[in-house]
Amino acid sequence: MLPWKRLLRPLTALLLTAAVALVPATAAHASTAPSAGWNDYSCKPSAAHPRPVVLVHGTLGNSVDNWLGLAPYLKDRGYCVFSFDYGQLPGVPVFYGLGPVDKSAEQLSAFVDKVLTATGAGKTDIVGHSQGGMMPRYYLKFLGGAAKVNALVGIAPSNHGTDLNGLTNLLPYFPGAADLLSTATPALADQITGSALLTKLNAGGDTVPGVHYTVLASKYDEVVTPYQSQYLSGSDVHNVLLQNLCSLDLSEHLAIALLDRIAFHEVANALDPAHATATTCASVFS
C-alpha cells in the first residue's frame, strides 16, 4: 500500500468519528430501552453470584447495543446485570461516551450507588469496553469507588490511551484540530496517549488496593493501539491476550465486546475465579 494511502485510512476514520459525534438531533434515533433480561431492578444476587454486574459501554456506544451479546450471556449464568448510558453530549442521540471522562466517572458513581441500593449488595463488579474499561479506574481512584467494587474487567480498554496507529501524532500539523477535538468530543481527546486526563489517572500506579483487575486484549485491535497499551501493571492484575487462548480468534476492537464468546468466557472466569475453567477455542460453544 502506498504511504499516502496508509495515512489516509486512519485520518478518514478520525474525521468520520468526529462527524458522527456532531450528528444533529434530528438523526434517526435507535431505541435504547434495555432489552428483556437485564436492568431488572427486582433482581437479587444469589449466593453463587453475590455481586451485581455493571456493564459500561465504550465511546460512541450505548447501554443496549454494546451489550446485546454479553448481557444475556451473563444473565443466563445467574448474574444480576445492569447497564447505563453516560457521556451524553447535547443534541447527540444514541452515540454516547463522548463527554469528559471525569464527568462520566461521576455518572458511573451515581449508577453504582443506584444498583447497590436496589440489589442490597455490598459491592459490584464492573465490566467495561474500550473507554468503559478505562473510565471506571477514575471512579475507583478519585471518587471512592474502590470501596464499592470487587473487580474491574476491561475489554479492549484505553488504559494508557491510543495513538490510532500513529494518527494522533499528526494533530499538531493540523492547526486547531486538537482544540476542536477537545471541544466537540472531550472523551476522544481524553483518550489520546499522553492526555492530561490519562497522565493524572496513571500517576502513582495503574491500580488501587482491594480491586481485582482483568484486561482482555486482541492483537487485531485497530482502535486502541498499540494493543499492549491496554495492559495494566500491578500486584492484582491479570492481562490476557485472546490469541494466546485461541489463535483462531480474529476479533478486533468492536467484535471482542459484541460477539466474542472466547472473551465472554474469560469475563465469566474473572467474575467467578473460584469456578474458572480453561478458555480455549472450544469456549465459543460454552
Side-chain angles (χ1 to χ4, degrees):
M1 182 181 292
L2 294 176
W4 68 268
K5 289 185 177 179
R6 286 199 297 268
L7 170 63
L8 183 60
R9 184 166 60 181
L11 180 59
T12 301
L14 180 60
L15 294 175
L16 285 174
T17 298
V20 168
L22 297 174
V23 65
T26 54
H29 193 310
S31 172
T32 55
S35 296
W38 83 90
N39 276 354
D40 175 6
Y41 287 90
S42 67
C43 185
K44 299 301 179 183
S46 65
H49 301 303
R51 292 176 299 276
V53 178
V54 171
L55 303 177
V56 187
H57 65 75
T59 308
L60 294 170
N62 62 61
S63 61
V64 175
D65 296 338
N66 215 139
W67 305 118
L68 290 173
L70 182 59
Y73 182 95
L74 294 177
K75 184 68 178 177
D76 289 346
R77 282 155 180 76
Y79 289 91
C80 293
V81 181
F82 301 87
S83 62
F84 74 114
D85 293 318
Y86 72 88
Q88 300 91 333
L89 291 182
V92 182
V94 183
F95 302 104
Y96 304 133
L98 293 169
V101 167
D102 57 347
K103 299 302 181 184
S104 294
E106 293 176 5
Q107 292 179 269
L108 172 60
S109 177
F111 187 75
V112 167
D113 286 348
K114 178 181 178 180
V115 168
L116 292 179
T117 297
T119 61
K123 287 189 175 184
T124 187
D125 290 322
I126 295 177
V127 179
H129 175 227
S130 193
Q131 180 191 168
M134 173 274 291
M135 177 270 283
R137 294 178 50 228
Y138 193 98
Y139 164 57
L140 298 177
K141 193 169 188 177
F142 300 114
L143 302 179
K148 302 175 183 179
V149 176
N150 170 72
L152 171 61
V153 183
I155 303 173
S158 52
N159 281 321
H160 296 95
T162 179
D163 64 5
L164 287 175
N165 287 307
L167 177 60
T168 60
N169 297 327
L170 299 176
L171 285 174
Y173 298 97
F174 295 87
D179 290 339
L180 176 62
L181 198 64
S182 297
T183 301
T185 55
L188 296 182
D190 282 345
Q191 291 177 87
I192 291 176
T193 302
S195 73
L197 183 284
L198 289 171
T199 299
K200 176 182 178 180
L201 177 61
N202 294 316
D206 291 347
T207 64
V208 296
V211 179
H212 309 293
Y213 296 83
T214 299
V215 173
L216 307 181
S218 169
K219 68 180 182 181
Y220 300 113
D221 197 313
E222 78 288 14
V223 175
V224 181
T225 59
Y227 74 83
Q228 295 91 338
S229 69
Q230 301 171 23
Y231 294 154
L232 295 172
S233 297
S235 60
D236 197 351
V237 172
H238 183 45
N239 293 314
V240 179
L241 182 65
L242 292 182
Q243 285 73 35
N244 287 342
L245 304 177
C246 175
S247 61
L248 301 178
D249 192 329
L250 302 179
S251 292
E252 43 65 69
H253 187 74
L254 293 179
I256 189 176
L258 294 177
L259 48 82
D260 188 341
R261 291 179 69 91
I262 294 170
F264 294 178
H265 191 269
E266 274 298 284
V267 169
N269 280 346
L271 296 178
D272 188 9
H275 299 94
T277 58
T279 301
T280 67
C281 293
S283 297
V284 297
F285 303 111
S286 64

